[in-house]
Amino acid sequence: MRKLLVSVALTMLCGMASAQFAGILPGQQAEKLPEGFKPASTNTFLANYPAVNAATRQAMFKVVAPTAQKVQVDLANKKYDMTKDDKGVWTCTSDPQVVGFHYYAILIDGVAVMDRNTDAFFGSNWESSGIEIPEGTEGNYYRFNKDIPHGQVRSIYYWSDINGLERHINVYVPAGYDENSSTRYPVLYLVHGWGEDENGWSNQGLMANIMDGLIAEGKAVPMIIVMPSGDIKTNSDVRTASGDVTKIFANNLIPYIDKTFRTKTDKKNRAMAGLSRGGMQTCMTVFNNMDKFGWMGTFSGFFMRDGDSIENMYNGVFKDAAAFNKQMNLLFISTGTEERTPKAAVEALKKHGIKNVVYHESQGTAHEWLTWRRALNEFAPLIFK
Amino acid sequence: MRKLLVSVALTMLCGMASAQFAGILPGQQAEKLPEGFKPASTNTFLANYPAVNAATRQAMFKVVAPTAQKVQVDLANKKYDMTKDDKGVWTCTSDPQVVGFHYYAILIDGVAVMDRNTDAFFGSNWESSGIEIPEGTEGNYYRFNKDIPHGQVRSIYYWSDINGLERHINVYVPAGYDENSSTRYPVLYLVHGWGEDENGWSNQGLMANIMDGLIAEGKAVPMIIVMPSGDIKTNSDVRTASGDVTKIFANNLIPYIDKTFRTKTDKKNRAMAGLSRGGMQTCMTVFNNMDKFGWMGTFSGFFMRDGDSIENMYNGVFKDAAAFNKQMNLLFISTGTEERTPKAAVEALKKHGIKNVVYHESQGTAHEWLTWRRALNEFAPLIFK
């Protein structure tokens, strides 16, 4: 790769060279795609494939692998065998997909690798390929809207003794944050799922588009959103326990944010939410720090384990319903209808006397990003009001 | 992958599952690495390999590929054959490397793919694996320093009619930008090389660490640094010419930045620099907009082509040396000693009467990121003074 970079650099004054994989360069003609198919928005800027069909919601994949014996695409719980042509180019077309974002992998002779035609999306603890399936109006709320003001996502490193390293967070500030330099804002802490990282809500979730839209329409109040990692990358001399992440959130991150941004610091102006394992981390963090958070949401992340009862789960936080009701303005519980739902737990909570529970179902979606984009879009308008 | 995510999510309340590739989880014992080797800082948080040896500057790689016929590592212009053990785990150890950042690829039966154990670094127009080789004190200026104030890198999307899409830029603001809310700052536009993107200077270049250090020590003045893409990703209905990128920089980006940030807007407070092809783009942009820029730098990106003379190159911008000298405070030209150097061009410029040329050589480095980290570290203290 570096060889390619070097050789290109030495001829760069004459223009640009083409990558190994099929693609287009600015000014070049695009490779002719099958009727109805366009390059996915998640592709690198040169790649025509994967291509997506907005009408059929199918994806087509292409991999150049002349000497491989078997190449497959692994997408949404199904492995597709690819077919090789006489030039060693493998292709396949997927079944119709749920719109929104999906991780996928290419299997080359059994080894799961990233498709080099897409941007990288950290999921399942590796930089994975991803594909955005477009469709009609579903996604308007998560698409970039050029006609409204936009917030900024700030990439920040701060020192963490627990990590023995600098720790990376992303912080969304709403449009107008710089201009309104005396305004203070409420803060939502928003956590990704297992195997993802602090970039997930931006890259896979398109949270900035969602929040820009909600705030511009007056549906949500302008707020700061802090996106930390739910994992602990350490330097190799340091070992930590995974439970330390809730300590980082409560004791390390909140003071740093309140020092660094113009926040409102009382509990009625602080919320936390997370998806999947991030929902569990939200419960662990909030229920152990009820004096710090006034609002919470779990997206595909709230379940009763076998043997749990409302009385004893989470160290008995729900036992005294009246006390819980007084402390928590909102317990938002969301799920996709095509995954294991927490409906029974929600009903048990309500029966036990827990008020301020809002239950949201994303119709027709599973444990996937469309569920969570929809959940954020429902949750954010409910908080800080 | 999604299957893995789903299955994990359903058991997530019980803890975390392990990824397919070798790795460690918080609280677990690290796999025993060979004496002197540690996980590279560029690894994902679970990965022990690639491992690096700070003393020998070697890297060890590991890939699990039981059914592959041949697996290689492609690093710094050399392909290393990996050796397979009886469990299908392939390993190899590299020659000593130059310290700093290197792209590399894994070749699985001839297909170049990303090593899933590292973070993703966009280079050669794909999301590539990368490895940071540590060594003694060389890197102190580009390492995170917990004892100084830190700037922020802001991720911003703005609408571009030329792209027919939102366009992504990263903007570094120095420590104190929010607190000193009436201070205005000079601006450096800083461009990546061929095949890289607007994240390159942050991820591969560690520019924030370099600038935080220079500013904290008083060597460089506090400045805003704008990192745009040197390529044009368009929606698939739009076609552009690659030359349009200089028009975007001059006519589209500068007004947007001056509107959005507290900038000083006169030419003596605006600089541009770029590496490799970004050096060429710097020349194209600055030489066509001499009224807008007072300082410029090219890192491994300034060459005379065959047939060029000082008089005629870049449309004759150097022809009237006195005029050029009056307009340009600094023409910084940097190179690694182990690549094709622009030494002859620099000498010809000086002989022709071009003043304010500063020539910098990075000793023992080629067309690689250590050259460019060093170049930024030399260049930034020279501007806006």
Side-chain angles (χ1 to χ4, degrees):
Chain A
M1 210 164 343
R2 211 171 63 97
K3 184 197 265 173
L4 182 58
L5 186 61
V6 171
S7 73
V8 165
L10 293 177
T11 57
M12 76 195 164
L13 297 175
C14 310
M16 291 186 279
S18 61
Q20 179 195 329
F21 275 36
I24 52 166
L25 290 163
Q28 283 191 333
Q29 199 58 39
E31 181 182 346
K32 181 83 181 158
L33 295 174
E35 182 68 24
F37 282 84
K38 291 189 173 188
S41 64
T42 29
N43 289 6
T44 59
F45 83 105
L46 292 177
N48 283 311
Y49 288 90
V52 288
N53 186 317
T56 67
R57 305 196 316 274
Q58 290 175 291
M60 287 185 66
F61 300 87
K62 188 180 272 194
V63 175
V64 183
T67 63
Q69 301 300 302
K70 186 177 184 181
V71 183
Q72 295 174 295
V73 171
D74 187 355
L75 169 69
N77 297 332
K78 181 169 174 177
K79 288 194 178 74
Y80 298 87
D81 289 330
M82 302 187 83
T83 308
K84 182 165 110 169
D85 73 9
D86 58 5
K87 287 175 184 139
V89 180
W90 302 72
T91 51
C92 74
T93 302
S94 79
D95 298 337
Q97 300 294 310
V98 170
V99 303
F101 177 86
H102 302 280
Y103 297 107
Y104 73 95
I106 304 290
L107 295 165
I108 296 178
D109 290 339
V111 185
V113 299
M114 186 181 163
D115 183 348
R116 61 184 288 176
N117 285 329
T118 85
D119 290 334
F121 301 90
F122 199 76
S124 296
N125 290 313
W126 65 306
E127 298 281 6
S128 167
S129 30
I131 187 166
E132 180 78 22
I133 306 292
E135 190 206 50
T137 56
E138 163 69 34
N140 279 355
Y141 69 90
Y142 58 68
R143 293 201 183 107
F144 186 89
N145 181 346
K146 69 187 174 71
D147 298 321
I148 60 173
H150 298 285
Q152 298 175 350
V153 174
R154 302 187 177 177
S155 167
I156 298 174
Y157 292 84
Y158 71 97
W159 183 258
S160 164
D161 284 325
I162 294 177
N163 295 64
L165 273 181
E166 63 271 28
R167 190 167 168 83
H168 184 231
I169 51 170
N170 292 309
V171 179
Y172 168 88
V173 299
Y177 182 86
D178 277 344
E179 293 76 12
N180 309 322
S181 61
S182 62
T183 307
R184 303 188 80 86
Y185 297 85
V187 185
L188 165 63
Y189 291 80
L190 185 62
V191 188
H192 58 83
W194 173 87
E196 297 170 340
D197 69 13
E198 66 276 17
N199 302 314
W201 270 107
S202 288
N203 295 347
Q204 289 93 304
L206 303 178
M207 62 74 61
N209 293 347
I210 295 171
M211 295 307 305
D212 287 346
L214 289 172
I215 293 169
E217 291 175 48
K219 289 182 179 168
V221 302
M223 66 183 80
I224 293 168
I225 300 186
V226 178
M227 293 162 283
S229 170
D231 291 305
I232 306 173
K233 180 174 183 172
T234 63
N235 91 32
S236 51
D237 300 322
V238 174
R239 290 280 159 261
T240 65
S242 66
D244 285 345
V245 81
T246 67
K247 291 184 196 153
I248 289 178
F249 294 159
N251 304 330
N252 193 309
L253 183 59
I254 291 176
Y256 176 81
I257 293 296
D258 286 339
K259 188 182 70 185
T260 309
F261 290 88
R262 296 193 314 277
T263 60
K264 294 179 178 172
T265 60
D266 55 325
K267 72 172 264 176
K268 75 171 190 290
N269 284 297
R270 190 180 296 117
M272 184 166 177
L275 73 90
S276 192
R277 191 193 62 182
M280 175 193 74
Q281 291 174 333
T282 296
C283 290
M284 289 167 58
T285 306
V286 173
F287 294 153
N288 285 308
N289 295 277
M290 291 289 274
D291 58 322
K292 293 193 176 71
F293 297 92
W295 318 77
M296 63 185 291
T298 68
F299 312 157
S300 307
F302 189 91
F303 300 102
M304 292 178 74
R305 285 178 294 196
D306 293 340
D308 271 353
S309 72
I310 293 297
E311 298 256 332
N312 72 10
M313 70 190 292
Y314 292 113
N315 296 321
V317 72
F318 300 121
K319 192 170 184 178
D320 181 344
F324 186 88
N325 292 339
K326 201 172 163 187
Q327 289 183 289
M328 188 53 57
N329 298 313
L330 175 67
L331 170 53
F332 179 89
I333 298 177
S334 169
T335 186
T337 55
E338 310 308 304
E339 60 179 324
R340 183 178 138 197
T341 81
K343 200 168 186 173
V346 170
E347 282 165 9
L349 282 169
K350 287 182 174 173
K351 194 174 167 192
H352 183 70
I354 302 295
K355 298 178 181 168
N356 302 329
V357 178
V358 171
Y359 180 56
H360 167 251
E361 284 186 344
S362 166
Q363 296 300 316
T365 65
H367 206 74
E368 60 187 305
W369 272 98
L370 188 58
T371 304
W372 306 322
R373 290 179 185 174
R374 286 173 171 173
L376 178 63
N377 197 46
E378 296 293 322
F379 172 71
L382 302 178
I383 58 178
F384 309 132
K385 284 182 175 170
Chain B
M1 214 164 340
R2 208 170 65 96
K3 184 196 266 171
L4 182 58
L5 186 61
V6 170
S7 73
V8 165
L10 294 178
T11 58
M12 75 195 163
L13 296 175
C14 310
M16 290 186 279
S18 62
Q20 179 195 328
F21 274 36
I24 52 164
L25 289 163
Q28 285 192 333
Q29 199 59 38
E31 181 183 345
K32 182 81 180 159
L33 294 175
E35 182 69 23
F37 282 86
K38 291 190 172 187
S41 64
T42 29
N43 290 7
T44 60
F45 82 105
L46 292 177
N48 283 311
Y49 288 90
V52 287
N53 186 317
T56 67
R57 304 195 319 275
Q58 289 175 291
M60 287 186 67
F61 300 88
K62 187 179 275 196
V63 175
V64 183
T67 63
Q69 301 302 304
K70 185 177 186 182
V71 183
Q72 296 173 294
V73 171
D74 187 355
L75 169 68
N77 297 332
K78 180 169 176 178
K79 288 194 178 72
Y80 299 86
D81 289 329
M82 302 187 83
T83 308
K84 182 165 113 171
D85 73 10
D86 56 6
K87 289 174 183 139
V89 179
W90 302 72
T91 50
C92 73
T93 302
S94 78
D95 299 336
Q97 300 294 309
V98 169
V99 303
F101 177 86
H102 302 279
Y103 297 106
Y104 73 96
I106 303 290
L107 295 165
I108 296 179
D109 290 339
V111 185
V113 300
M114 186 182 161
D115 183 347
R116 63 184 287 175
N117 285 329
T118 84
D119 290 336
F121 301 89
F122 199 76
S124 297
N125 289 313
W126 66 306
E127 298 281 5
S128 167
S129 29
I131 187 166
E132 180 78 23
I133 306 291
E135 188 205 51
T137 56
E138 163 68 35
N140 279 354
Y141 67 92
Y142 59 69
R143 294 200 184 108
F144 186 89
N145 180 346
K146 69 186 174 70
D147 299 321
I148 61 172
H150 298 286
Q152 299 175 350
V153 174
R154 302 187 176 177
S155 166
I156 298 174
Y157 291 85
Y158 71 97
W159 183 259
S160 164
D161 284 324
I162 294 177
N163 295 62
L165 274 180
E166 62 272 28
R167 190 168 169 83
H168 185 233
I169 52 172
N170 292 310
V171 180
Y172 168 88
V173 298
Y177 183 86
D178 278 345
E179 293 75 12
N180 309 323
S181 61
S182 62
T183 307
R184 304 189 79 86
Y185 296 85
V187 185
L188 165 63
Y189 291 80
L190 185 62
V191 188
H192 59 83
W194 173 88
E196 297 171 340
D197 68 13
E198 66 276 17
N199 303 313
W201 270 107
S202 287
N203 295 346
Q204 289 93 304
L206 303 177
M207 61 75 60
N209 293 348
I210 296 170
M211 294 307 305
D212 287 348
L214 289 173
I215 293 169
E217 291 175 47
K219 289 183 180 168
V221 302
M223 66 183 81
I224 293 168
I225 300 186
V226 178
M227 293 162 283
S229 170
D231 290 306
I232 306 174
K233 180 175 183 172
T234 64
N235 91 34
S236 51
D237 300 322
V238 175
R239 289 280 159 264
T240 65
S242 66
D244 284 347
V245 81
T246 65
K247 291 183 195 155
I248 290 178
F249 294 160
N251 304 328
N252 192 308
L253 183 59
I254 291 176
Y256 176 81
I257 293 297
D258 285 339
K259 188 181 72 186
T260 309
F261 291 87
R262 296 193 314 276
T263 59
K264 294 180 178 171
T265 59
D266 55 324
K267 72 172 267 177
K268 73 171 190 291
N269 284 297
R270 191 178 296 118
M272 184 166 178
L275 73 91
S276 192
R277 191 194 61 181
M280 175 192 71
Q281 292 175 332
T282 297
C283 291
M284 287 167 59
T285 305
V286 174
F287 293 153
N288 285 306
N289 296 276
M290 292 287 275
D291 58 322
K292 295 192 175 69
F293 296 92
W295 318 76
M296 63 186 292
T298 70
F299 312 158
S300 307
F302 190 91
F303 298 103
M304 292 177 76
R305 283 178 296 195
D306 291 342
D308 271 353
S309 72
I310 293 298
E311 297 255 332
N312 72 10
M313 72 190 291
Y314 291 113
N315 296 320
V317 72
F318 299 121
K319 191 170 185 178
D320 182 344
F324 186 89
N325 292 339
K326 200 173 165 187
Q327 290 183 290
M328 187 53 57
N329 298 313
L330 175 66
L331 169 54
F332 179 89
I333 298 175
S334 169
T335 187
T337 55
E338 310 308 303
E339 61 180 323
R340 184 178 137 196
T341 80
K343 201 168 185 173
V346 171
E347 283 167 8
L349 282 169
K350 288 182 174 171
K351 194 174 168 193
H352 183 69
I354 302 295
K355 297 179 183 167
N356 302 327
V357 178
V358 171
Y359 179 58
H360 166 252
E361 284 186 345
S362 165
Q363 296 301 316
T365 66
H367 206 75
E368 61 188 302
W369 272 97
L370 188 57
T371 304
W372 307 320
R373 290 179 184 172
R374 287 173 172 174
L376 177 63
N377 198 46
E378 296 294 321
F379 173 71
L382 302 179
I383 57 177
F384 308 134
K385 285 181 175 171

